[in-house]
Amino acid sequence: PSLQFPHSHGVMVEPHVVIPDSALETFEYVRELQLPPGFAQRMLVYPGCECKGPCSEEAQCICMARSSQDMKYECSPRCGCTQSDGSCSNRAAQQPPPFSIRVVECAGKGFAAFVNEHIPNGAHVASYLGEVISRREASARLRRDCQPRASGTPNDQSASHTNHHTYLVVFREHITSDQPRVLTTCVDAKEKGNVARFFNHSCDPCLQVVPVRWGFVPCLTFRAVRDIQPGEELTFDYADGDHRAGLSKTVCLCGSEHCRGFLPRTKLADDTV
C-alpha cells in the first residue's frame, strides 16, 4: 500500500523519522539495543580493523572480510577507523535510519511506517532495536501478549481476539562445527524500541531481514529487496520466507496479491540461551 501523507502532528525522534505523539505514548524510543546487565562488557569479542581511513574491501578491512552470505560484520569501537574522520562506510546498522520515514495510523490496521522518498534496491533502511531477552522470557511474553479476550472488541482484527500486539522478533543462527548448535537471539520492542517496531508484515514485502554483527549479540537490520517508491509502506515477511512453521490464527491485512490469509506462527522453546 502507498499513502499520500496528510499534514499531521508528530515528533521527529531522529533526523529523518517522525512518529505521532499518540504512538510514542505506548513505548520508550531507544537508539541502540537494550542489552541485559553485564552484556555491554562482553559485546566486543572480535578483533578490530586497523584502517586509518574509510574502510573498504580494497583497503583489506578485516571486519568486511569477516562477512559472509549469512552474516554481515561491521566495524566496532575496537577498530582503528573509530579514530578517523568518521567516514567509515561499514557502520550502517549503528546509525539512525538514513531515509525519511513517517509513522501513520491506518484505519483497521493500527500504526504503520511509510517512506517519504525513494529507497534503492539493496539499501539499508533501519535496525530493529529493543530489549534483548532470553528464550524463556520471550516465551513468557509471547504467552502474555497472546492471551485470549472477549470477542466483539472494537477494531478487533484477530481471529483469536488477543489482548495485545506483540513486537517480538526471533533470530536463529545454525552453527556448524564439531558440535552443531542453534544460537537464538530474541529482541522485544514492545516497551522499548525504535521506528522499526512499526514495520508491518506483508506476504509480498519490500524489506528483508539481514543480521549484522559488530559484537557478540547480532543486530537485525532491514534492507530493501527492490526499489521502494515514496509513499510506500515499509513491510517485511514475519517468517522471513520460511513457512515451515505454518500460519497463526491472526488475519493478515497486507492486501498483497500473494497474501496467505493469516500471519506466520511464532514458535519458541521454553529453555533459555
Side-chain angles (χ1 to χ4, degrees), residues 72-213:
K72 175 179 171 58
Y73 285 83
E74 290 193 346
C75 296
S76 76
R78 278 191 169 184
C79 295
C81 59
T82 301
Q83 308 301 323
S84 67
D85 59 4
S87 59
C88 177
S89 62
N90 194 34
R91 297 173 183 265
Q94 303 168 60
Q95 305 301 321
F99 300 101
S100 178
I101 301 172
R102 179 180 289 273
V103 173
V104 177
E105 188 167 12
C106 302
K109 189 175 181 177
F111 292 104
F114 294 82
V115 65
N116 292 325
E117 60 183 298
H118 173 260
I119 298 178
N121 183 18
H124 166 79
V125 176
S127 299
Y128 195 85
L129 304 181
E131 297 178 272
V132 178
I133 57 177
S134 69
R135 289 169 65 178
R136 185 183 299 277
E137 175 64 18
S139 295
R141 293 188 185 190
L142 192 61
R143 286 192 296 269
R144 176 199 66 191
D145 291 345
C146 294
Q147 288 178 352
R149 68 184 176 197
S151 60
T153 303
N155 300 320
D156 189 359
Q157 299 296 324
S158 169
S160 60
H161 309 306
T162 56
N163 268 326
H164 308 285
H165 297 291
T166 181
Y167 296 90
L168 180 65
V169 171
V170 179
F171 171 63
R172 296 179 177 88
E173 296 174 82
H174 296 268
I175 307 300
T176 56
S177 61
D178 294 338
Q179 296 181 328
R181 63 193 188 279
V182 177
L183 296 180
T184 303
T185 302
C186 304
V187 181
D188 187 7
K190 183 178 179 63
E191 297 180 358
K192 298 180 180 181
N194 70 333
V195 67
R197 79 193 291 276
F198 297 105
F199 294 177
N200 288 320
H201 167 82
S202 175
C203 300
D204 187 16
C206 60
L207 301 175
Q208 178 186 38
V209 178
V210 177
V212 175
R213 264 201 172 97

